[in-house]
C-alpha cells in the first residue's frame, strides 16, 4: 500500500463525512508505516508507531475511520470495548485476548488470500474428483489369451476407451449445468469440538491453547458420508482441494508477521476505564485495567495458539467520548503511549444531509437498493432529505446525542409502512417528499416523551 496521506484522506472521504483532523492523523500514521518499511532493519526496529487517541461523542465516525483505514491498508483489524476487560482476579476478559483475536483475524485473511491464489488449480482437481464420483473408473483390461493383436483384444481395448468418451460427455454436461439436479455421496469433515465447550474459567484462551496441544485428536472433525447435489459437492470438493494446496505453516508465519508489522487494534470506550483507584464497587478495577493494558500498548510478547506475537509495532487507536472523565485521568504511563490526540466534531443538520446522500454506502442509497429487490422504485426528494436531517438533529438535541446513528432510527420509522408493504407494491413507485416525512414523523418529534422512546 503506497498511497500518500492526501490520497488516503481522499479514500476515507468516500465513506466518512467531515472529521478532517482525525482523517489527517490516521493518514499520517498509515504513511509512517510505509516509511518505516523503507528504513534499515536496525533503524526500523526503534521506530515505534505513534498511537492515536480520538476524542468525540458517539456516532461521529471514530470507529468507521479506523475500520476503513485498515481495509484500505489490508491490515488485520480488531475492535474491542475497553469496558469488557478487567484486571486479573475479576470476572472479565484478559487484555491479551485482543491480540489473540487480531491473530485469528490475520490467519483468516491470509488463508482467504492463499485460497484465492490456488482456487483455479483446486477447481480442476475438484472437477476430476467429481467426475470420478459420477463415473467410477472401469476395471483394468484383462490380457487376451489369443494375443494382443487378436480381435478379442482389440474389442476389449475399444470397450475400455468408451468410459473416456463418457467422461468427456459428463464434463460437458457438468459445465452446462445439466447435472445440477443429480446427487452424489461424498465424505465431509465435520467441525471439531471447541475447547470452549469443554471448560470455562477466567483465562479461557490459555486453557483452550493448552488443551489443543495435549489432546489434538479430540478437536479434529470426523468424516461423515453425506448425499448432496452436484453443485454443492463441487463447492465442497473445491474447498477441500484448496486446503490441500495451502501450506498452513507458511500462512501462520505470514499472519503473525502481518499482525506484528501492520496490525491495528481499536480500543473503544477507553474513557470508561479512565480514573484512579480509590472508588467503591467496580470502579476499583479501572486503574488495574489500565496497568494490564499498558504492557500491551508499550510492547510485549503475547502467547497465542498460533505462536508468540510481539506487540511493539501494532498501531493502537483508542477512542472515547470523555464526557465525564478527561484524557488526563488516564494513568500517566498510558497517556504517554497515545501521543497523537484528535478531537472529532459533533454532527449537525448539514452533516446529516451529506451522510444521507454522499458516501458510497449512503443510507438512502441502501434503502433504495433494498426496495428495488422487491421491484419497488423508491425516490427521495431534496426537501425530504433536509427534513430527515432536521428531525434527527432536533431529537439529538432534546434527548441523547447519538450522532449519525439517529439517522438509522429515524429512517426505519419513516419507511415502516413502505418496508412492510413493499412486497405487495412490486412495479410501483413511491416518492418520499417533505410532506410524507412530516406526516410520518412530525407528531413523534414534537412530543419529547414519544421521541425519547420511539426515536
Amino acid at each position: 500500500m503506497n498511497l500518500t496521506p492526501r490520497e488516503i484522506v481522499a479514500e476515507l472521504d468516500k465513506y466518512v463525512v467531515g472529521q478532517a483532523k482525525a482523517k489527517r492523523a490516521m493518514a499520517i500514521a498509515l504513511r509512517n508505516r510505509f516509511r518505516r518499511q523503507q528504513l534499515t532493519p536496525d533503524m526500523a526496529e526503534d521506530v515505534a508507531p505513534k498511537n492515536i487517541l480520538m476524542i468525540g461523542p458517539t456516532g461521529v465516525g471514530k470507529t468507521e475511520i479506523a475500520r476503513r483505514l485498515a481495509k484500505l491498508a489490508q491490515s488485520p483489524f480488531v475492535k474491542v470495548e475497553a469496558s469488557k476487560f478487567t484486571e486479573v482476579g475479576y470476572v472479565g476478559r484478559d487484555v491479551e485476548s485482543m491480540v489473540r483475536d487480531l491473530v485469528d483475524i490475520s490467519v483468516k485473511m491470509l488463508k482467504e488470500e492463499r485460497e484465492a491464489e490456488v482456487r483455479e488449480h483446486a477447481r480442476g482437481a475438484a472437477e476430476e474428483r467429481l467426475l470420478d464420483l459420477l463415473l467410477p473408473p472401469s476395471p483394468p483390461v484383462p490380457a487376451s489369451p489369443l494375443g494382443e493383436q487378436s480381435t478379442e483384444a482389440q474389442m476389449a481395448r475399444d470397450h475400455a476407451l468408451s468410459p473416456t468418451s463418457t467422461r468427456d460427455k459428463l464434463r460437458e454436461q457438468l459445465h452446462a449445468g445439466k447435472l445440477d439436479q443429480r446427487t452424489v455421496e461424498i465424505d465431509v469433515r465435520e467441525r471439531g469440538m471447541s475447547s470452549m465447550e469443554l471448560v470455562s474459567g477466567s483465562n479461557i484462551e490459555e486453557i483452550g491453547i493448552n488443551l489443543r496441544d495435549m489432546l489434538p485428536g479430540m478437536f479434529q472433525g470426523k468424516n461423515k458420508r453425506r448425499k448432496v447435489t452436484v453443485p454443492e459437492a463441487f463447492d465442497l470438493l473445491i474447498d477441500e482441494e484448496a486446503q490441500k494446496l495451502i501450506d498452513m505453516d507458511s500462512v501462520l508465519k505470514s499472519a503473525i508477521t502481518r499482525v506484528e508489522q501492520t496490525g491495528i487494534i481499536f480500543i473503544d470506550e477507553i474513557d470508561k476505564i479512565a480514573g484512579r483507584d480509590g472508588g467503591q464497587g467496580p470502579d476499583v478495577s479501572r486503574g488495574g485495567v489500565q496497568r494490564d493494558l499498558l504492557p500491551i500498548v508499550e510492547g510485549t510478547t503475547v502467547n497465542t495458539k498460533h505462536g508468540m506475537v510481539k506487540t511493539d509495532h501494532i498501531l493502537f487507536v483508542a477512542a472515547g467520548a470523555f464526557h465525564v472523565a478527561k484524557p488526563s485521568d488516564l494513568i500517566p504511563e498510558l497517556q504517554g503511549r497515545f501521543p497523537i490526540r484528535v478531537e472529532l466534531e459533533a454532527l449537525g443538520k448539514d452533516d446529516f444531509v451529506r451522510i444521507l446522500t454522499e458516501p458510497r454506502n449512503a443510507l438512502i442509497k441502501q434503502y433504495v437498493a433494498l426496495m428495488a429487490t422487491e421491484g419497488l422504485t423508491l425516490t427521495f426528494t431534496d426537501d425530504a432529505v433536509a427534513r430527515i436531517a432536521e428531525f434527527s438533529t432536533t431529537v439529538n438535541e432534546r434527548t441523547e446525542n447519538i450522532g449519525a446513528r439517529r439517522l438509522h432510527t429515524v429512517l426505519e420509522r419513516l419507511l415502516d409502512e413502505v418496508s412492510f408493504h413493499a412486497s405487495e407494491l412490486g412495479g410501483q413507485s413511491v416518492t418520499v417528499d417533505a410532506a410524507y416525512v412530516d406526516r410520518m414523523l412530525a407528531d413523534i418529534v414534537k412530543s419529547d416523551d414519544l421521541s425519547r422512546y420511539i426515536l
Side-chain angles (χ1 to χ4, degrees):
M1 207 286 297
N2 190 16
L3 295 177
T4 66
R6 192 182 300 278
E7 291 169 337
I8 294 168
V9 170
E11 286 295 318
L12 292 175
D13 284 340
K14 295 176 183 176
Y15 300 98
V16 183
V17 168
Q19 313 303 356
K21 292 178 183 176
K23 291 176 183 174
R24 187 185 180 98
M26 294 292 284
I28 292 171
L30 189 61
R31 182 65 180 184
N32 278 340
R33 285 194 153 179
F34 170 77
R35 291 165 179 158
R36 176 178 167 270
Q37 291 170 2
Q38 315 307 311
L39 300 174
T40 61
D42 290 343
M43 177 67 78
E45 187 64 29
D46 292 330
V47 176
K50 305 302 183 287
N51 298 323
I52 299 169
L53 178 62
M54 292 187 183
I55 304 165
T58 183
V60 296
K62 299 188 295 290
T63 307
E64 190 65 13
I65 289 173
R67 182 181 288 120
R68 291 291 175 186
L69 189 80
K71 195 170 183 180
L72 187 63
Q74 295 182 319
S75 299
F77 172 84
V78 66
K79 178 195 173 189
V80 296
E81 309 290 333
S83 53
K84 75 179 176 182
F85 297 110
T86 61
E87 62 180 317
V88 176
Y90 287 79
V91 177
R93 290 201 75 186
D94 174 9
V95 291
E96 291 185 351
S97 63
M98 66 175 75
V99 181
R100 298 190 186 103
D101 292 342
L102 188 66
V103 175
D104 289 341
I105 289 167
S106 183
V107 170
K108 184 173 181 290
M109 284 177 64
L110 261 295
K111 198 173 175 186
E112 287 174 353
E113 289 175 13
R114 299 289 168 84
E115 283 179 356
E117 292 172 5
V118 302
R119 194 79 179 173
E120 212 51 48
H121 193 172
R123 188 180 182 84
E127 184 176 296
E128 297 305 321
R129 284 182 61 187
L130 184 57
L131 291 173
D132 289 340
L133 292 170
L134 293 166
L135 180 71
S138 56
V141 181
S144 172
L146 302 176
E148 290 298 315
Q149 303 303 320
S150 64
T151 306
E152 289 83 354
Q154 185 61 43
M155 290 175 62
R157 283 194 291 273
D158 291 343
H159 179 73
L161 288 173
S162 60
T164 304
S165 59
T166 307
R167 190 181 184 89
D168 290 338
K169 289 178 182 176
L170 274 176
R171 194 189 305 276
E172 291 174 6
Q173 292 175 346
L174 179 65
H175 292 166
K178 295 179 180 178
L179 304 177
D180 288 357
Q181 302 306 314
R182 285 185 61 174
T183 59
V184 292
E185 284 192 355
I186 62 170
D187 290 326
V188 179
R189 181 172 288 275
E190 291 183 312
R191 189 178 176 183
M193 188 184 300
S194 170
S195 60
M196 300 289 279
E197 298 168 2
L198 295 176
V199 290
S200 61
S202 60
N203 201 355
I204 187 68
E205 291 89 355
E206 289 187 2
I207 295 173
I209 294 167
N210 294 335
L211 274 174
R212 286 179 183 276
D213 292 339
M214 292 186 294
L215 305 169
M218 184 179 292
F219 300 99
Q220 292 178 358
K222 296 180 180 179
N223 285 340
K224 182 180 179 181
R225 196 107 179 130
R226 279 181 57 193
K227 184 175 283 189
V228 295
T229 62
V230 166
E232 288 177 303
F234 197 23
D235 289 338
L236 290 168
L237 291 172
I238 289 174
D239 290 340
E240 199 173 306
E241 289 298 322
Q243 297 302 319
K244 294 178 183 177
L245 295 169
I246 295 173
D247 180 2
M248 280 308 296
D249 290 337
S250 171
V251 167
L252 296 179
K253 186 177 179 182
S254 299
I256 289 174
T257 300
R258 186 175 289 191
V259 164
E260 292 179 337
Q261 302 302 322
T262 68
I264 299 175
I265 294 180
F266 185 85
I267 307 173
D268 203 5
E269 296 184 0
I270 198 165
D271 55 321
K272 301 296 190 298
I273 63 166
R276 310 296 169 87
D277 292 342
Q280 296 294 321
D283 289 347
V284 76
S285 67
R286 287 182 179 180
V289 177
Q290 293 183 61
R291 284 191 294 273
D292 288 348
L293 192 59
L294 184 60
I296 306 290
V297 181
E298 281 184 332
T300 187
T301 302
V302 176
N303 182 24
T304 74
K305 63 185 177 184
H306 301 298
M308 305 298 283
V309 177
K310 294 173 67 177
T311 66
D312 300 67
H313 295 100
I314 292 175
L315 177 65
F316 289 87
V317 181
F322 287 98
H323 289 313
V324 179
K326 304 182 294 295
S328 58
D329 291 332
L330 295 167
I331 60 175
E333 297 88 347
L334 197 58
Q335 289 182 48
R337 287 294 162 176
F338 288 92
I340 301 175
R341 297 179 186 181
V342 289
E343 189 171 352
L344 285 84
E345 302 156 1
L347 301 173
K349 178 187 171 183
D350 293 340
D351 296 311
F352 285 160
V353 170
R354 294 180 61 197
I355 289 168
L356 286 168
T357 56
E358 286 184 16
R360 282 188 179 178
N361 56 348
L363 280 174
I364 283 180
K365 295 175 185 176
Q366 292 178 26
Y367 281 99
V368 169
L370 285 171
M371 295 304 107
T373 63
E374 303 274 13
L376 177 67
T377 303
L378 186 63
T379 308
F380 287 80
T381 62
D382 291 342
D383 58 350
V385 174
R387 289 296 281 163
I388 294 168
E390 186 180 323
F391 281 149
S392 300
T393 306
T394 302
V395 176
N396 271 348
E397 290 171 351
R398 289 182 180 175
T399 60
E400 190 71 28
N401 187 351
I402 60 173
R405 292 189 178 94
R406 185 71 67 187
L407 295 172
H408 291 271
T409 314
V410 170
L411 277 170
E412 279 296 320
R413 187 68 188 180
L414 173 67
L415 299 174
D416 180 73
E417 283 187 12
V418 174
S419 296
F420 187 82
H421 297 291
S423 54
E424 304 159 13
L425 301 174
Q428 298 185 35
S429 298
V430 173
T431 299
V432 178
D433 55 16
Y436 183 93
V437 176
D438 286 336
R439 178 167 64 85
M440 297 297 294
L441 298 177
D443 291 340
I444 298 172
V445 174
K446 283 178 185 175
S447 170
D448 283 354
D449 288 337
L450 281 176
S451 60
R452 192 177 299 277
Y453 289 104
I454 296 176
L455 297 180

